[in-house]
Every structure is written in C-alpha cells, then in structure tokens.
Amino acid sequence: MDTLHYTNGWLNLKNNRIDEINHFCEDYKHFLNAGKTERQCVKASIAEAEQHGFRPIEEFEQLVAGDKVYFINRNKNVVLTVVGKRPIREGIRYVVSHIDSPRLDLKPNPLYEKSELALMRTHYYGGIKKYQWASRPLALHGIVVTKSGRSVDIVIGEDPQDPVFTIPDLLPHLDKKVQRERTAAEVLKGEELQIIVGSVPMAFDDDKIKDKVKQHILIKLHEKYEISEPDFISAELMLVPAGDARDVGIDQGLVGAYGQDDRICAYTSLEAILDIPTPEQTAVCFLVDKEEIGSSGATGLESRYLEFFTGELLIRQSDGNYNDQMLRRCLWQSYALSSDVNAGLNPLFESVHDAQNASKLGYGLVLTKYTGHGGKAGSNDADAEYVAALRRIFDDHEITWQTGLLGKVDEGGGGTVAKYLAHYGINTIDAGAALLSMHSPFELSSKFDIYELYRAYKTFYTQKL
C-alpha cells in the first residue's frame, strides 16, 4: 500500500546529478540577471529559441509535426510551440508562466526638485511590502519612446560603474512620531516611494531657472539618450533591485534574487520546451504579463490572446476548414500547468502555515490543487482525475514532487492565472516551486527544485496522460 511521504530531494543524489543541477542553476542566474523586466525576458527567450530552431509564425503557411514556431505579443508575451504528431485540434499541452514581478514604476510626470535634491515619483506595481524597498540600491530599466517614434532602451544601475538610485529612509533617531506609530503597511506610504536621482546644481545664466538640480538631470538625460521631460509620458521605466542573483548559504544550495516569482517557472518551462523531441500532442510554453496586477490588459491572461494564437495554429493545419467550434473543442481537450510559485514553509513564521499541507524548499515540484482565499474564492480547483494522471506520470519518471497550499484557511491566500485557463475548459492545475520571501526584493529558491521543475515540465510535455 502506498503511503504519503514527501522527502528532501537532496538526499541520496549522486555527484553527477548535483553537477547537472549546479550547471543548470548557473544558467538560470544569468537569465534572472538579463531579464529583470518582461521585455527583457521576451528578448532573451526569443534569442535562445532561435538558436534551437524556432521561427516566427509568419514564416509558416502550413504546420507539420516537428515545426517550431513562436509568437510575440507587444514585446511582453512570448509563445513557443512545438507542433506534435497528433492534429492540433485534438488538444495542446500548455505550460503558462508569468514574467512580470513586483516593482516600482515611474509616474508619467516623475521628476521634481525638493530641498536641492532631484527626485522621481513612483507607483508600485503588484503586491509589495513598501518598507523593503527603501535604503537599498535600485536600478532603472525600461524604454522611452519619443514623439517621433524613436525607441530608447535604458538600463542604469547594473554595471558596476553605473550610478544607482535609492529611496531615503528616516533614521531611527527621528522616526518615533513619523513612522513608528504607523502600521507595518504604512511604515513607508505609496507616495513616499520616491527615488533620489541627483544632487548637483548647475549654474545657469538665466535667473528664472529655479530648480537647478532638476535641470542638470534633464541636461544629462538629453546628452546621453536624446530625451526630454515630456518623453516620460510615453515611457515604461521601472525600478528594480540592482545587482546579480547570488548563491545563498555556506552549502550554496539556494538561489537568492529578485523576480523569481515567477521567472523560476518561466525559465524552466522555456528550457523544457527547447529540449523536447517532437511530442505526441502539440506543446506550448506561454510566458505572460500582468499576473501581479490581476492578469488584466492586452498582455495579461485575461485578454483573448490565448484564443488568438491557438486559432492561428489551427488555421495552419485546417486546410481551409477552420471554424470557431474547432478552437473551442481544441481548448476543451487540452491540458495546462499554471506554473507559478507557492509559499514555502518559513521557519521564522511557521504559524501562518498548515505544516501538513505546506510546501518546502528542496522537496521538488509543488502541485497546488487550489489557491484563492477564504472559501477558495477566485480559485481554479483541479479535477481529481487530472491530479491522479499527473501523480502517475511524475512518479513513473521519478520526478520529486509535493503538494502545497498558500497558508492556513482564512490566513490570507492568493491567486494565479489558473482560473483564466480553466475558463476555456482546459484541464488546469498550479505547478511550480516553493519560495521564501516571496514578493520581496530578494526571493529564495532551492537549486534542487529549479532543476526538478525543468524535468517535470519536460515530462508533462511528452508523456501520455
């Protein structure tokens, strides 16, 4: 008789397997360093996919088994597809991850001067603990599009020779009345998340120019990027933690970095689809945007882009006989992993977890049957038959996996993109990694889990359910 017993994946690993894990995670850290924004993730993913033979969908009039194609949506979504041996209309295997992460976005009119310092105002994106973003080095990433249509890529703060930015916190000698009496959520308020961008005034012949530090910053920006103050209106500029992903711990078993929610799943699903042979069912790696703010907008999963690219695939195999019911039937016969992270058991705050149903770092892939909050509100609740099928294929291929929930009932909770996939009738479950310090500027993951995700996604793409 089977017994329920999850084990730490590091136990009984052979040295050659440990070497594989470490090598894979070095590449993963490079991906995190290069992809701190959605646009950067898309760019890096396409570059690697093209090296593995993937080509734009526009180059294909007719799709056959083994074709490798990709779609790009507004430079913030990428869809990688390996066409399977069975007709696409019979269903698809989707692994869907999000490539946006909590951050600070510059406001459309951000720059001003106060107390002879130049500052920029921000608006936080996603669920953050605002106090975690103060008194730390931040880097500015993004694009500016001028009125003429010229696009300017900007990254300031990642090169060791670059300046960085920071939010000045208040010293403990003076914070008694201003901060200490606030709740934790308001130790720093949203409007106080402002970065210092300059401090040197510039002498001007024109006495009417009052904000001499601000004007100095505008001159510097124009000299280097040929942009002016109104160009901030048509820009996407964001502050993220400066610096590279690092190993954590004397044994170097953890990765610490910004943005592992959810780029840990994005990278492993990307690498998985690049490495599979021609599958039986068509395989799709879908990297999406806007999950951290509810999956809204044209690049979030609440949009109908999944219908769009799936319809495009079907049209190229339909011999002119495509209809909407074919699309609906395809989706209804499909399977998906909503590959997102879970809250790992935190040794400092175990009380918020149901330890019997909590995921742990180092225990492999986390299958989360349902998320949501309260009475499972806002959740996809995976069918028992689908969970059983995944148990079988993962056990048969010696994939280390566990189950997990987002804390105790009524403690809090959260959501993923799973419900948007299930909306189409796609068999869906959340499947990702356990993290510590989720949504912080420095999240923690297990190297074992990173590699096990990759193995699990390959198995899902290729094995019969």
Side-chain angles (χ1 to χ4, degrees):
M1 178 183 293
D2 288 342
T3 58
L4 185 61
H5 180 63
Y6 303 130
T7 58
N8 192 305
W10 288 109
L11 296 173
N12 303 317
L13 274 182
K14 296 181 180 179
N15 286 335
N16 64 332
R17 181 76 182 283
I18 294 175
D19 290 341
E20 287 179 17
I21 291 171
N22 287 330
H23 178 75
F24 187 86
C25 288
E26 285 303 305
D27 290 339
Y28 169 59
K29 288 189 291 184
H30 292 313
F31 179 82
L32 291 176
N33 297 339
K36 290 191 175 183
T37 72
E38 308 92 304
R39 290 174 181 268
Q40 290 168 349
C41 285
V42 168
K43 185 177 180 180
S45 299
I46 292 302
E48 188 172 5
E50 288 184 339
Q51 292 176 2
H52 284 76
F54 285 76
R55 294 292 177 265
I57 185 65
E58 294 79 11
E59 294 184 10
F60 296 82
E61 292 185 6
Q62 187 75 20
L63 292 173
V64 298
D67 282 344
K68 300 178 178 182
V69 305
Y70 68 79
F71 300 76
I72 299 176
N73 177 30
R74 291 165 168 80
N75 295 315
K76 296 179 184 178
N77 294 166
V78 61
V79 179
L80 303 177
T81 304
V82 180
V83 179
K85 298 174 185 177
R86 290 164 55 184
I88 295 173
R89 65 177 181 271
E90 294 182 8
I92 291 173
R93 302 286 180 96
Y94 298 93
V95 179
V96 184
S97 316
H98 68 90
I99 50 176
D100 63 316
S101 294
R103 60 179 190 252
L104 305 178
D105 289 344
L106 289 190
K107 288 187 175 182
N109 184 18
L111 182 62
Y112 77 104
E113 182 175 329
K114 187 175 184 180
S115 301
E116 296 187 76
L117 291 172
L119 299 105
M120 287 188 177
R121 303 180 189 274
T122 74
H123 192 140
Y124 62 92
Y125 173 98
I128 67 170
K129 291 184 176 181
K130 295 184 279 292
Y131 65 82
Q132 293 180 332
W133 290 75
S135 297
R136 64 179 305 126
L138 300 172
L140 184 67
H141 290 241
I143 67 163
V144 177
V145 182
T146 66
K147 190 163 59 174
S148 67
R150 182 173 60 91
S151 181
V152 183
D153 291 317
I154 292 179
V155 177
I156 306 172
E158 300 294 354
D159 188 287
Q161 304 305 314
D162 282 352
V164 294
F165 309 92
T166 195
I167 298 166
D169 202 357
L170 189 59
L171 68 164
H173 308 71
L174 297 177
D175 71 350
K176 183 177 180 180
K177 293 183 178 180
V178 178
Q179 283 185 318
R180 293 196 194 190
E181 295 178 1
R182 298 180 181 181
T183 64
E186 293 191 332
V187 170
L188 273 180
K189 298 180 179 180
E191 289 296 341
E192 294 168 343
L193 296 174
Q194 300 179 25
I195 59 168
I196 293 176
V197 297
S199 61
V200 180
M202 191 171 188
F204 293 94
D205 294 334
D206 188 348
D207 292 337
K208 294 180 180 179
I209 298 177
K210 301 298 183 184
D211 296 334
K212 294 180 173 56
V213 181
K214 172 185 173 181
Q215 292 302 319
H216 191 189
I217 296 302
L218 288 171
I219 289 170
K220 289 280 189 182
L221 289 172
H222 191 269
E223 287 175 349
K224 185 165 185 178
Y225 301 109
E226 296 183 24
I227 59 175
S228 58
E229 189 170 12
D231 292 326
F232 283 114
I233 297 170
S234 52
E236 294 175 8
L237 292 169
M238 54 202 70
L239 280 305
V240 298
D244 290 345
R246 302 289 298 273
D247 288 348
V248 174
I250 294 173
D251 54 10
Q252 297 180 286
L254 303 177
V255 172
Y258 163 73
Q260 296 198 76
D261 176 11
D262 184 37
R263 293 172 190 136
I264 188 172
C265 297
Y267 179 75
T268 49
S269 60
L270 167 67
E271 294 301 309
I273 202 166
L274 297 182
D275 289 348
I276 61 171
T278 302
E280 284 296 318
Q281 278 191 301
T282 293
V284 166
C285 169
F286 185 13
L287 307 184
V288 302
D289 182 25
K290 297 292 188 290
E291 192 275 346
E292 297 294 359
I293 58 171
S295 297
S296 54
T299 55
L301 203 60
E302 198 173 15
S303 77
R304 302 181 71 174
Y305 190 63
L306 185 141
E307 293 179 49
F308 174 82
F309 74 74
T310 302
E312 288 291 321
L313 293 172
L314 287 166
I315 286 171
R316 285 165 170 79
Q317 264 200 354
S318 65
D319 296 322
N321 297 317
Y322 174 81
N323 58 66
D324 285 348
Q325 186 61 19
M326 185 185 296
L327 171 62
R328 287 188 284 267
R329 186 179 292 118
C330 170
L331 294 171
W332 209 266
Q333 297 177 121
S334 295
Y335 297 91
L337 298 182
S338 167
S339 54
D340 207 343
V341 295
N342 197 290
L345 184 65
N346 189 317
L348 304 183
F349 301 98
E350 288 188 351
S351 64
V352 301
H353 299 276
D354 169 8
Q356 187 173 331
N357 288 283
S359 59
K360 295 181 180 180
L361 270 65
Y363 279 62
L365 173 79
V366 184
L367 290 177
T368 305
K369 191 175 186 296
Y370 53 83
T371 56
H373 56 88
K376 298 186 182 180
S379 172
N380 165 64
D381 197 344
D383 297 334
E385 293 86 350
Y386 185 38
V387 179
L390 292 172
R391 287 175 56 199
R392 174 181 54 77
I393 65 168
F394 290 150
D395 285 347
D396 287 350
H397 291 83
E398 298 183 333
I399 303 297
T400 304
W401 63 275
Q402 59 182 316
T403 58
L405 296 177
L406 289 175
K408 288 182 176 178
V409 178
D410 291 335
E411 192 70 44
T416 67
V417 300
K419 64 181 181 180
Y420 302 108
L421 298 166
H423 171 78
Y424 294 106
I426 302 171
N427 289 283
T428 306
I429 191 172
D430 287 292
L435 294 184
L436 293 183
S437 300
M438 191 193 302
H439 278 220
S440 79
F442 195 72
E443 299 170 317
L444 300 178
S445 65
S446 166
K447 288 185 177 180
F448 176 84
D449 297 342
I450 296 165
Y451 192 64
E452 210 65 3
L453 285 190
Y454 160 74
R455 295 182 63 237
Y457 296 151
K458 281 184 67 175
T459 300
F460 173 77
Y461 279 137
T462 57
Q463 300 305 311
K464 182 179 179 180
L465 287 170

